[in-house]
Amino acid sequence: PFRTSWDISHINEHPNTLVNDPQNVSVAQIMNWTEAVENFVCKMTPKPDYFIFNSGWWDDEEFSQPAVQEAMIRALGNCNIISVYKTTTIARSKERLDEKRERMCQLTDVCFNVSWTDLVPPEHYVDDKHFAPPLYSMINLHLLSMLASGDILSVNS
């Protein structure tokens, strides 16, 4: 499920302050992924043009279900938000995630595929699943340049 410390009924109230102390964070809302898109993301002002997401290594059984994935992508489309799925990086051990989560590339408007991380040498990892900071900077710059190009929809077509 999607968890947030924001009360979604107050999402457009300003100023929204950043909570820096973990002790001050409490879960105000728990909802399924489609509800999170419909009742949270789609109601943001300004509404985002892109919704960039990744399911990562930390399993969410609900999100790995095809019906949940399809409903979430449909909800984004209904709000005219471009869905961008970032595949999960390859672990130092060369472990890969199962296919049911990676199928998001066929569902979303854009697939930002980082399977090239299979080629990253072991010394560029800080543990089995996480890179040293320069690699994340490269990935983020690549994604940002795709977004800035204005030609992002041709990526997954």
Side-chain angles (χ1 to χ4, degrees):
F2 175 82
R3 292 176 178 83
T4 181
S5 58
W6 279 357
D7 178 344
I8 61 171
S9 63
H10 302 293
I11 190 169
N12 291 317
E13 291 179 8
H14 296 284
N16 285 316
T17 56
L18 180 64
V19 177
N20 291 315
D21 185 351
Q23 294 177 345
N24 293 332
V25 174
S26 62
V27 175
Q29 302 285 317
I30 298 176
M31 58 194 90
N32 71 38
W33 291 103
T34 303
E35 291 170 335
V37 169
E38 293 171 341
N39 299 323
F40 188 78
V41 177
C42 293
K43 293 183 179 180
M44 295 174 87
T45 303
K47 185 173 67 175
D49 293 324
Y50 303 100
F51 185 79
I52 303 166
F53 63 106
N54 164 272
S55 55
W57 285 100
W58 319 116
D59 195 25
D60 178 353
E61 193 58 40
E62 177 191 18
F63 187 76
S64 66
Q65 298 172 15
V68 171
Q69 294 172 347
E70 291 163 11
M72 182 182 151
I73 299 306
R74 205 170 27 257
L76 287 166
N78 290 342
C79 293
N80 297 314
I81 297 174
I82 297 169
S83 57
V84 181
Y85 182 73
K86 179 193 155 293
T87 62
T88 301
T89 55
I90 310 299
R92 178 171 44 197
S93 64
K94 303 304 178 195
E95 179 184 356
R96 295 173 180 264
L97 291 177
D98 59 38
E99 294 174 13
K100 62 183 174 181
R101 287 200 282 174
E102 297 303 326
R103 73 184 286 279
M104 290 299 291
C105 277
Q106 282 91 45
L107 297 175
T108 55
D109 297 311
V110 178
C111 176
F112 182 57
N113 189 336
V114 294
S115 61
W116 60 266
T117 57
D118 190 27
L119 303 172
V120 174
E123 61 269 16
H124 292 289
Y125 286 82
V126 295
D127 61 29
D128 188 54
K129 308 269 193 283
H130 300 96
F131 298 125
L135 264 287
Y136 285 119
S137 295
M138 287 173 52
I139 291 169
N140 291 337
L141 285 172
H142 184 200
L143 177 60
L144 289 171
S145 60
M146 281 176 42
L147 293 172
S149 75
D151 193 28
I152 193 163
L153 286 179
S154 66
V155 175
N156 206 24
S157 36

